[in-house]
Structures are given as structure tokens and as C-alpha cells.
Amino acid sequence: MSGADIFLLAAVLAVAYANGANDSFKGVATLYGGGAASYRTALAWGIGTTLAGSLLAAVLAEGLIKAFSGAGLVPADVLADPAFITAVALGAALTVFAAALTGIPISTTHALTGALAGAGLLAAGRELNLQALGAAFFLPLALSPLLATMLVATLYPAFRRLTARFGLTQTSCICIGTMQTVSVSEGAMVLRQQVAFAGETADCPPASPDAFWKFDIAPILRRVHFVSAGAVSFARGVNDTPKIVGIALAAHAFDLETSLIAIALVMALGGLLHSGRIARTMSTRILPFNEAEGTLANLVTSGLVISASTFGLPVSTTHVSVGGLFGLGAAKGKMHWGVAGGIALSWLLTLPVALAASALVYFLIG
């Protein structure tokens, strides 16, 4: 392997490392922020479920591998140029890792898109297919956070009305069965049959043969919350890994199977070593939330990202997950707007920064 090949391979793996640093905690931020898990437990769960999604990405997201290989965006001779692939990878990696070090949750998808455009403009000039870039990349990236925000903002009030109607809270219990309750009517003791009871745990009657099903909501909600966070991280693995694999295949750095394994492991390493600042931003700085609210945002995020990945649409897990938190904050009226505005501004700057970085790298090495 030549020195140029080693440099190219390092650049591709740098994207995976930067992605892990910036994205690994986003799926499990509600666990940490909602008090369901410690930082280490949440991170371990996020990395483990992301690995599972990464290893299944070849089956579930083949369209994204093709999209981010650069085919159709630039001519074949440009795509075969190691300098082009190296510039794309380094431009995206530098942008995403710099954001991770400052605690700003930006999109690796957005950075890769900008890097493809920047290096492509210098390498291909007028032959860069801007129409394909806009239709296949920019439109899904722009619409996905808006859709996530609107869905969560719409579902949250309905969720609140439903729980209020049945008097349910996170500390409620539900008993289902036939229970006898005693009341006094005109001095006489009257036995009544009650099919179901919902109330605070302290008020719930003990389980008995008459009350054949009793459960507290809190531990069940905790399990559902973990599953929903794992679903977001799994979706991230499905959505993000193919994009980096596409670059690796275009560079002929690895074959498909080796690419998936190597990139998944390097992503996990980046998350393990550099997730702290992103964790604070996502878990505590955007808005306060409880476990039920975090679960709702996670379910919307995972559903959107997995659906988009299946259809080969390059949405950003970052944009969708943060968009869900924005929708929750707007519905609750408790958004920290200064933090939200800073994140939105960073999203606008991601593409031009990555474009400039990749163009500069290509100018220096092309």
C-alpha cells in the first residue's frame, strides 16, 4: 500500500471517528437528560445499539452507500482520483470533529454533502451535477428537521390530553381485575366491584387473587424509554455508516464487509472518547424534559430516520433528533431559545464550512 493510499484510508477513518465523536450520544441524550441513566450507561447503550445498526446497514440502507459513493455527482475519472476522495473525507472530518470539540451537534450528512460540493467544484467544475446534488441531498436535509419538529409538536399535546384524561403520571400504577371496594351509604356497608384502578402507586391496592394484574408505570416507562433511545441509535448506525462506507468504496480502501466493520468500530471509538460536550448540549442545554417526553421524541426520531434510510434518503440523524427536541420545547413553551438559535446557526454554517475545507484540501493535494 502506497503512502497516498494510507493517507486516503486515514482520511476515510477520520470521518468515522469524527462522526462517532459528534453523534454517538444524540440517540441516548434523553436517557441522561431525563434521569433514566448515568452518562456512562447511556453512552454504552448508545454505542452498542449503533454498532448493531452499523453492521446491518448494508442490508437496510444500500441506497445510501450508492448515493455517497459520489456516482452521478462527478465524472468517473474524478471519482477515481484519490485526491478527490481524500479532500471530501478530510473536509467533512475536520468540520464535524471541530463541532464535537465545542459541543455543537451538527450533521455529518450535511458536512459530507458540503465536502462533495466543494471538492467537486474544483475537481469537476461545470461537470459537477448540481441538480442531482440538490434533489437527492439538500431537499431531504432541509425538510427532515422541520418534519420532526412538527410531528413532536403535534403529538405532544395529544399525549398530554390522553394522560390527563386517565389521570396517569410517571408514578401511577394500574390494576386490572375484579376488586372489591367498600363504601358507606346511609349507614350501611356496601361492597362494590371495580374492574380497573389507576392512581398513584401509594394508593394502589396490593396485588391479590381478586386483582390479578397490577403494575407500576415507572419501571415500564423506563424500559420503553431505553428501547426508544436504542432505536434512535440503531437508526443512526443504519443511516450514518453507509455514507462513510460509500466514500470508502469509492476510494477502494476496503471491500464492503471490511468497510462496515472498520467504520463501525472507529465510530464507536470516537464516541467513547469525545462524547462529553455533545452530551451536555443535547441532554441539558436545549430544554428540560422527563422520561415520557423523551420517549415520545425518540420514537418520532427513530421512525423518521429508519424510514428515510430504507428509501435511500440522506437525512441527518442530528437534524431529526434535535428537531424532535425543538418540537418538544416549542410545545412545552420551555425552549432555551439562545441555545436553539446557536444550533440552528451552526447548521446553516456546516455546509459552507465543509465546502471550503474540502476545496482547500483538494487545492493543496489535487
Side-chain angles (χ1 to χ4, degrees), residues 45-224:
W45 180 239
I47 289 175
T49 48
T50 297
L51 275 171
S54 296
L55 297 177
L56 288 175
V59 177
L60 299 177
E62 183 180 356
L64 288 177
I65 295 176
K66 294 179 180 178
F68 281 84
S69 68
L73 296 176
V74 296
D77 59 327
V78 173
L79 195 59
D81 180 6
F84 171 75
I85 301 298
T86 301
V88 170
L90 279 182
L94 290 170
T95 304
V96 174
F97 191 65
L101 292 180
T102 54
I104 301 174
I106 68 168
S107 164
T108 302
T109 307
H110 214 174
L112 283 170
T113 304
L116 282 167
L121 283 171
L122 289 189
R126 294 182 179 181
E127 294 183 275
L128 175 65
N129 191 344
L130 290 174
Q131 183 176 359
L133 195 64
F137 293 82
F138 294 151
L139 191 60
L141 282 171
L143 293 180
S144 57
L146 296 176
L147 183 58
T149 299
M150 290 188 293
L151 278 174
V152 174
T154 302
L155 290 173
Y156 178 74
F159 167 77
R160 292 289 296 170
R161 286 193 296 269
L162 183 65
T163 55
R165 178 180 178 182
F166 291 100
L168 297 176
T169 69
Q170 292 187 183
T171 59
S172 295
C173 76
I174 296 177
C175 297
I176 297 177
T178 302
M179 294 173 286
Q180 292 185 342
T181 59
V182 180
S183 63
V184 178
S185 177
E186 298 180 354
M189 301 293 289
V190 178
L191 291 177
R192 295 180 177 175
Q193 298 296 318
Q194 187 173 339
V195 175
F197 172 90
E200 295 303 300
T201 299
D203 301 323
C204 197
S208 69
D210 292 328
F212 60 84
W213 186 16
K214 172 191 173 181
F215 58 86
D216 295 333
I217 287 180
I220 293 175
L221 177 61
R222 178 68 50 86
R223 295 185 184 96
V224 173

Side-chain angles (χ1 to χ4, degrees), residues 295-307:
T295 301
L296 175 64
N298 287 342
L299 291 174
V300 171
T301 297
S302 59
L304 286 175
V305 174
I306 291 175
S307 298

Side-chain angles (χ1 to χ4, degrees), residues 277-291:
R277 292 180 180 177
I278 293 294
R280 286 191 291 273
T281 298
M282 293 286 294
S283 301
T284 63
R285 297 186 61 209
I286 297 175
L287 80 155
F289 50 82
N290 60 35
E291 284 203 67

Side-chain angles (χ1 to χ4, degrees), residues 308-343:
S309 300
T310 302
F311 289 102
L313 298 174
V315 302
S316 162
T317 309
T318 299
H319 287 182
V320 176
S321 60
V322 177
L325 292 180
F326 283 178
L328 185 62
K332 292 181 64 177
K334 293 184 178 181
M335 178 82 78
H336 297 159
W337 290 107
V339 175
I343 292 173

